[in-house]
Amino acid sequence: MQSTSSQHGLDLHTQRLLQEEWERLPASMKPGGKRTSQRDDMTSLRESLSHELSPVIAVLPGMIRLVCECTDRPVEKFRSTIKRLILEQLFMEIGGDSIVDTHHLVQVKLYVELTVRVLIRVRQHDLGSRNEWADMPVTPQMFG
């Protein structure tokens, strides 16, 4: 991974990929059915994305490490792990009871899809640049 990172633990390249994939998602999937508008103030845009996508931002660094270490498994195979991690991020302690904010519960599917899309692009970029990327799983080799 690149050494330049933000306060979220994501390098600038990954932040850009996250923003691009968020903008590519259909408007019907996003909260309120609205696309993210391009604003003059990029700081304001980043802050609004950081707040809205905080569960994804929290999960991405660990998932990036995992998918880059497990190159023999397609990113799609990590969907259940991604969903579980995102749900863990959404739990809040309120009055001693663990609950999930209803707004975020509706968005879990969106967050999982967004995370998968970003992970696919990160893997393609990082491993592709080192000529280690392959679409097919590696065949086990017999020794002995």
Side-chain angles (χ1 to χ4, degrees):
M1 298 303 131
Q2 297 176 5
S3 59
T4 309
S5 64
S6 72
Q7 71 241 13
H8 306 296
L10 298 177
D11 61 54
L12 296 175
H13 174 72
T14 305
Q15 288 179 40
R16 233 174 288 130
L17 291 178
L18 178 61
Q19 185 172 346
E20 287 173 13
E21 289 303 324
W22 176 249
E23 291 171 359
R24 286 182 184 174
L25 287 172
S28 61
M29 290 182 73
K30 295 180 185 175
K34 296 181 232 168
R35 283 203 170 270
T36 305
S37 62
Q38 291 294 336
R39 299 179 188 160
D40 293 331
D41 183 11
M42 287 305 288
T43 303
S44 177
L45 177 61
R46 279 191 206 111
E47 287 173 3
S48 67
L49 279 176
S50 293
H51 176 70
E52 190 167 10
L53 301 178
S54 60
V56 175
I57 291 168
V59 166
L60 268 175
M63 287 306 304
I64 289 171
R65 283 190 301 276
L66 183 62
V67 299
C68 287
E69 289 172 4
C70 301
T71 56
D72 60 329
R73 293 182 66 192
V75 173
E76 290 289 331
K77 294 283 186 182
F78 292 101
R79 275 187 183 272
S80 61
T81 303
I82 294 166
K83 181 177 180 180
R84 184 172 31 87
L85 291 172
I86 287 174
L87 282 170
E88 287 176 10
Q89 292 296 315
L90 297 176
F91 276 100
M92 299 182 308
E93 287 290 331
I94 298 180
D97 297 326
S98 292
I99 64 165
V100 175
D101 181 46
T102 54
H103 165 74
H104 285 120
L105 188 56
V106 173
Q107 298 303 321
V108 169
K109 186 175 180 178
L110 169 72
Y111 292 151
V112 171
E113 181 62 29
L114 178 61
T115 305
V116 167
R117 288 178 178 211
V118 172
L119 290 172
I120 288 170
R121 289 191 59 196
V122 165
R123 182 186 264 180
Q124 288 172 341
H125 177 266
D126 287 351
L127 296 179
S129 65
R130 292 183 283 175
N131 294 325
E132 294 178 21
W133 172 250
D135 291 331
M136 300 296 293
V138 177
T139 306
Q141 305 229 350
M142 301 300 281
F143 295 98

